[in-house]
Structure formats: C-alpha cells, structure tokens
Amino acid sequence: MGLTEVAAGVFELRLPIPFEDGLVNVFLFKSGQEVDLLDCGMNSEDSLTAIHRALEQLGARRLRRLVVTHIHPDHYGAAGALAGEGLADLYMHRLEVPLVHPRYVELEHLVEEVRRYLLVHGVPEDEAEVLSNSQRALSQVVKPADPSVQLDGAELIEMGAHVLRVEWTPGHSPGHICLHEAAAGLLFAGDHILPDLSPNIGLHPQSTPDPLHDYLDGLRRMAALEPRLVLPAHGRPFTGVKQRVDALVSHHARRLDQVLEIVGREAKSGWQVALDLWGPRENLYEKRLALQEGLAHLQALAVEGRVTKLVMPGSARWRSS
Ligand SMILES: [Zn+2]
C-alpha cells in the first residue's frame, strides 16, 4: 500500500484491518529526517511492515511522536511496537488512558462488568456470557504502550512541519481527539466524522455517561471550525463538512424519534428496544454494538426528559415520560 501526500509533507497510509475486512488511514508528518505519526493501525505483521516501509520511503531516521485519536484497536493497536522506551513518544487524551489496561491487559474484571451490565439491560444469560467474552479477540491485536504525554484538549502539537490543535471530541470514545490545522484548513477527524458511515456511539461501562450528546456537541464544534478538507480514519478525504455533519445530526434525530416510538407506556429493557429497532442480529459483535447504540439513544432521551429511566439493583428499564 502506497503513500499519498494529502498536504505539504503530510502522507496518508492505508493499513489493513484483519478481521473487519476494512482499512484504517494513518498519517505521517515529515520534517527533515524525523516523522510524526497520527494513529498506527493494529498490531499485526502486515500493518507494521507497511509502517516501516513508509518510514523508509520518507527517509526517516526515527519516529519522533505517535499521537492516537483514541484507543480502539485499529488506531492504537501497534502503539507498543512503535512507542515507549527508546522509541517514539506517545500522546493521547487522558480519558483514554484508564481504558487500556482493563480492555487489553487484564480483561477478567471488564468481562465480568460487561456481563453484569448486559444482564441489567435485559440480555438473556447465555447470550450475555458469549457477548461479554467477545471482546477477548480484540486484545490480541493490541500491544499497549504508556503515554509520554496525556492531553486534555486545546493543546498545540507540532507534527512534522505542521502545528495542529487538539480538539477533544468525546462520544465514539471518551477521550477521542481530532487534530485541526486552522491555517491550512485541515481537520484530521479520526472516527469522529466519517464520509460513509455513522460511527458507533454506545453507552457501556467504559463510555461517558451521555455519549450521544457529547458526540453531537463535538460535531457542531468541528463544523464551526469550517475546515476546507476533512481527513478521516476510514474512507476518503472529503470537503463539505457542514453537509456531512448535518446528515449525521439528522440521522441521530431520526433514530431518537424511532427509539421514542418503540418505548411505550410499559417499561422495556434496552435489549428489547434494540431488538425492535434492528431486529435479531446474527453477528455477536453487531449485537453488542446495537445494544450499546440503542442505550446511548435511550440515555439521551432520558437526559432530555423524553423517556423515564428506572433503575434497581440488577435492572434498568425505560418507558415514555
Ligand atoms: Zn474507533
């Protein structure tokens, strides 16, 4: 896979995502013999070979810094192979830092927490068992690294010959960041704004408490920056951020109305709502994402006072207000 120069001294490299049959775009910023990298793909042989070949092609003597938009495996997976002692400095948002260990290193606690969480939201016991264990596979393509710098958002970071501002855009992940270069009108959007897909926004034990509102707020803030070109982590670079943001915002508005319609006078579990919304799913990973996405919409509706959320030990239910 080759390098494409997307701006002066900025190169896009497309890396394979083994079991999703997709590609993730990472960006190399060159300055002299040093290169900085935004996102790093999964920890797989193919992916790392492509990165090393790209560095060679750019005449890089070393990788100076690695910035990750968030800790999902396709963005952060190879961090431990590229950053750390004697390697690149890793920069990430501080809300991503505590997610790493329970997710990729010591999974038992999180698997159990997710299992209980699924039961609370109405998932039958046998399915909860399988679904909570489905995250184990992901830990195999991630080699974690400790950050050298923890970001809050609003920092300026030098990437190659460019200076970019960190924009904290929670929702898809609590510490998701975009990088913005005002002078050139570039927005490196990670998974926050994709051209073809609506990124998964889910409520789960590692999410923020109201991820959908967080996400929508971030979309509006990024649109207000009026970038000339958006460089997403999946799909092709695109212009017209305002139209894309409008489309994503109205997609979620429609979904909120649909969820509101499904929730009736009678209290329902998140699982029932998700089944009504999407119908039964075969793929386990999709099932969990569907539940979490349904819950994010229910939570947003509850925050707005449009549905009522009822909780007891061992159960959470939703009904119309
Ligand atoms: Zn992601």
Side-chain angles (χ1 to χ4, degrees), residues 83-268:
E85 275 294 308
L87 301 169
D89 288 325
L90 174 62
Y91 289 54
M92 61 199 278
H93 193 277
R94 63 183 173 84
L95 293 187
E96 295 295 280
V97 177
L99 310 182
V100 170
H101 194 82
R103 201 172 177 129
Y104 302 128
V105 185
E106 217 142 337
L107 285 79
E108 295 318 314
H109 182 83
L110 185 63
V111 167
E112 176 55 20
E113 195 181 5
V114 168
R115 195 183 69 84
R116 264 185 281 122
Y117 184 81
L118 295 172
L119 293 175
V120 162
H121 289 291
V123 178
E125 209 146 331
D126 49 335
E127 293 216 55
E129 187 68 37
V130 182
L131 289 180
S132 60
N133 276 293
S134 66
Q135 69 202 43
R136 288 181 197 276
L138 291 179
S139 68
Q140 282 153 22
V141 284
V142 176
K143 186 174 183 191
D146 290 329
S148 306
V149 176
Q150 297 195 29
L151 304 164
D152 294 314
E155 293 87 355
L156 287 182
I157 305 184
E158 229 181 89
M159 296 289 278
H162 294 250
V163 178
L164 299 138
R165 196 178 113 114
V166 176
E167 298 292 342
W168 176 41
T169 47
H172 177 65
S173 193
H176 186 286
I177 57 168
C178 298
L179 293 184
H180 179 233
E181 187 179 29
L186 300 178
L187 182 69
F188 295 86
D191 280 356
H192 186 60
I193 312 177
L194 302 173
D196 313 309
L197 297 168
S198 177
N200 179 265
I201 309 299
L203 184 72
H204 55 83
Q206 285 199 330
S207 72
T208 51
D210 183 8
L212 185 60
H213 281 125
D214 292 339
Y215 176 68
L216 295 172
D217 174 61
L219 282 183
R220 294 186 189 101
R221 280 187 291 114
M222 293 309 98
L225 296 175
E226 298 183 356
R228 177 181 62 77
L229 185 66
V230 180
L231 300 132
H234 307 282
R236 307 314 309 130
F238 62 97
T239 56
V241 69
K242 202 182 164 305
Q243 289 87 313
R244 186 61 192 137
V245 164
D246 284 348
L248 288 166
V249 170
S250 40
H251 160 78
H252 284 292
R254 275 196 307 277
R255 183 62 34 95
L256 285 169
D257 289 340
Q258 269 177 296
V259 170
L260 192 57
E261 222 168 275
I262 291 169
V263 179
R265 300 299 314 164
E266 194 189 329
K268 282 186 178 168

Side-chain angles (χ1 to χ4, degrees), residues 70 72 74-75 172 191:
H70 62 303
H72 290 170
D74 45 333
H75 304 264
H172 177 65
D191 280 356

Side-chain angles (χ1 to χ4, degrees), residues 114 117-123 200-205 207-212 255-256 259 268-274 277-278 287-303 307 309 316-318:
V114 168
Y117 184 81
L118 295 172
L119 293 175
V120 162
H121 289 291
V123 178
N200 179 265
I201 309 299
L203 184 72
H204 55 83
S207 72
T208 51
D210 183 8
L212 185 60
R255 183 62 34 95
L256 285 169
V259 170
K268 282 186 178 168
S269 70
W271 185 245
Q272 285 173 289
V273 172
L277 194 55
W278 282 285
K287 266 190 201 178
R288 219 175 94 185
L289 291 186
L291 172 66
Q292 293 172 351
E293 179 113 19
L295 287 172
H297 285 85
L298 285 165
Q299 179 66 20
L301 289 167
V303 168
V307 309
K309 180 180 185 181
R317 296 294 180 266
W318 317 75

